[in-house]
Amino acid sequence: GEYTTNDVNKGSTPSDGGDIVQFETLSYTAGNSCISNYYSVCYTGITKANEALALAYALNGTVRNKQQMQAEALFVRALLYFRLTRAYGGVPYVNKVMAKDEETPQRSTQAQMWSYIEQDLVDAIPFLPTRAARLANGTSGRGTQNAARALLAKVYLYQERWADVIGMTTQIIASGDNDLTTPYGEIFYEKNEFGPESVFEVFCEERPEEQIFLGSQYSQIQGIRGKPNLGWGFNSPNETLINAYEEGDPRMEATIVKDGDVLEGVTVKADPAGEPYFNKKAYTPKSERGVYGRDDEGQGQWMNIRVIRYAEVILMHAEATCELGGNENMADARAKLEMVRKRARGGKDVLPEITTNDQAELRKAIRHERRIELAMEGELFFDLVRWGVAKDE
């Protein structure tokens, strides 16, 4: 989602990364291991979701939380089919446990896939709990009402069904289950996992003292390569992204680490063979290292993967209202845009409020905000495609 854009370089060292090198030049094919692994791993998850649904359906009707279990599996299946559909278009749709001798169905169309995903989410939403309820009963990391609503809004967004986007995002905003109170520079810290900014994130953990190893390489792959030794340095931001930030935007410092920066008393020294910039959203502060039996330079295996943030929900709402047009919708779009920019300011006198009532200008401002707010988070390439500007970019 980022390697194929102008905002990042592959990172690491020139010779490292295997098939990843093909992404920068858009020269990948179906034989690319990253492409084929993405495809097969999504289907592995879909298979597990279908198995879970089959088990849940077989439960006695009086079993507590039966409908919630089904809803959780529907949400996971919908999320994985969304990732497949936006990457590949139409794909084979499987909604059952297949027999070993059963042939894979033919590809559905992209329109059919959107419809299948929508139905799963519509069926799931009434039976999913809130984020607050998840926190209270210790089940954070599973689907929530707002996670399913946000994913459904995103499915509508990709189809330019603006009124339907607004319908979903309005419900999320009105629920009060999420907000923008988390400081931008701390969104990805362990202390803020499943916080109000979180609409959906993948649970990861590493606590060697307790023999807990449920880690991911998300932080390790992108972490600082050099000193401190926090990772491999892939997905490296570049000057194009740096130059895109408005003057004084605090999000640049919260997103980009460069050679020579001082982080918590340590001067960053990049590997001379690699890139001078790193993704700070993959940085793990000292307070998270060396605890629970983790290494002092532990490479972030415990970092949760943020899939949908509340700021993205607000920006989806802004985009949809802007596209619908009209004075009331334009005012709503500006108000939502200002919510994101206000949090980004962090109390500083920067990032002036957007006041234009010109639809084209406001559209440009919202797209810029989405690029900056979600920088390095894997959305940009797919945004460029759905906006119809990827060829130009």
Side-chain angles (χ1 to χ4, degrees):
E2 296 292 339
Y3 291 144
T4 41
T5 74
N6 292 328
D7 281 0
V8 307
N9 298 329
K10 174 184 70 68
S12 186
T13 59
S15 61
D16 195 18
D19 286 352
I20 291 175
V21 300
Q22 297 172 6
F23 282 81
E24 284 193 314
T25 55
L26 295 169
S27 59
Y28 48 83
T29 67
N32 182 291
S33 62
C34 305
I35 295 283
S36 58
N37 287 345
Y38 184 96
Y39 186 89
S40 63
V41 168
C42 282
Y43 273 110
T44 298
I46 288 165
T47 299
K48 297 296 184 184
N50 285 335
E51 290 172 352
L53 280 166
L55 290 168
Y57 286 137
L59 290 174
N60 185 292
T62 61
V63 172
R64 182 173 173 267
N65 290 340
K66 174 178 177 175
Q67 289 176 312
Q68 182 177 308
M69 293 176 191
Q70 293 168 345
E72 289 168 352
L74 288 172
F75 170 73
V76 170
R77 187 171 76 184
L79 175 63
L80 294 170
Y81 271 131
F82 170 79
R83 293 171 77 87
L84 286 167
T85 301
R86 78 168 178 177
Y88 301 99
V91 294
Y93 180 68
V94 181
N95 64 348
K96 63 177 183 179
V97 178
M98 293 180 64
K100 291 185 182 298
D101 59 349
E102 198 170 355
E103 291 189 6
T104 303
Q106 295 296 309
R107 288 178 72 169
S108 296
T109 66
Q110 187 175 60
Q112 288 172 324
M113 290 306 305
W114 290 140
S115 180
Y116 296 142
I117 296 166
E118 289 164 22
Q119 191 60 58
D120 276 355
L121 294 169
V122 168
D123 291 344
I125 288 170
F127 304 105
L128 290 171
T130 64
R131 180 188 67 87
R134 289 288 195 201
L135 282 171
N137 65 22
T139 59
S140 293
R142 300 186 186 189
T144 66
Q145 284 183 353
N146 280 354
R149 288 169 177 154
L151 182 57
L152 185 52
K154 209 161 178 174
V155 171
Y156 292 147
L157 189 78
Y158 274 74
Q159 299 174 82
E160 299 186 350
R161 291 168 54 180
W162 307 123
D164 291 326
V165 174
I166 294 166
M168 282 297 108
T169 55
T170 297
Q171 288 185 51
I172 296 170
I173 294 165
S175 74
D177 203 33
N178 296 93
D179 60 48
L180 293 173
T181 56
T182 308
Y184 187 85
E186 299 179 10
I187 289 171
F188 298 91
Y189 288 1
E190 189 172 28
K191 67 179 182 180
N192 289 319
E193 290 175 348
F194 306 117
E197 176 72 16
S198 173
V199 178
F200 186 70
E201 57 187 86
V202 177
F203 174 74
C204 302
E205 186 59 279
E206 182 186 36
R207 298 193 179 200
E209 289 177 351
E210 303 169 47
Q211 294 298 298
I212 296 175
F213 299 96
L214 298 171
S216 103
Q217 291 184 276
Y218 183 84
S219 173
Q220 181 182 49
I221 287 170
Q222 302 178 79
I224 295 171
R225 184 186 184 102
K227 179 183 178 181
N229 178 26
L230 299 181
W232 303 351
F234 284 97
N235 198 31
S236 172
N238 61 28
E239 297 285 349
T240 304
L241 176 59
I242 292 170
N243 293 334
Y245 284 89
E246 294 171 67
E247 185 176 356
D249 189 339
R251 288 175 295 190
M252 183 169 76
E253 185 178 339
T255 302
I256 298 170
V257 177
K258 65 179 183 296
D259 187 40
D261 281 352
V262 179
L263 298 180
E264 300 183 285
V266 177
T267 300
V268 174
K269 186 174 179 57
D271 183 339
E275 299 280 352
Y277 301 111
F278 304 97
N279 182 5
K280 196 173 183 182
K281 292 177 179 178
Y283 175 75
T284 53
K286 284 182 178 180
S287 60
E288 298 178 13
R289 297 177 247 146
V291 295
Y292 311 122
R294 300 168 183 166
D295 291 340
D296 289 337
E297 286 195 333
Q299 297 186 340
Q301 302 266 345
W302 57 88
M303 178 181 278
N304 283 9
I305 304 169
R306 276 64 167 183
V307 177
I308 305 176
R309 298 200 283 110
Y310 187 57
E312 184 180 7
V313 171
I314 300 300
L315 290 173
M316 286 195 288
H317 188 101
E319 182 174 343
T321 48
C322 175
E323 293 301 331
L324 277 182
N327 289 339
E328 188 175 339
N329 282 321
M330 295 289 280
D332 191 8
R334 290 194 303 271
K336 296 302 186 291
L337 184 58
E338 174 60 16
M339 287 173 62
V340 175
R341 289 171 70 82
K342 181 179 179 181
R343 195 263 297 271
R345 288 184 198 111
K348 297 180 179 179
D349 186 20
V350 294
L351 301 177
E353 186 172 351
I354 304 299
T355 58
T356 182
N357 204 40
D358 180 89
Q359 187 182 41
E361 290 179 359
L362 186 57
R363 177 186 295 121
K364 183 178 179 180
I366 291 168
R367 290 181 178 183
H368 168 81
E369 200 69 26
R370 186 172 169 90
R371 174 189 181 189
I372 295 301
E373 174 71 24
L374 304 176
M376 312 297 296
E377 295 180 42
E379 293 293 318
L380 183 57
F381 173 72
F382 299 110
D383 283 340
L384 296 175
V385 171
R386 68 181 180 85
W387 290 332
V389 299
K391 183 177 179 180
D392 299 329
E393 293 289 325

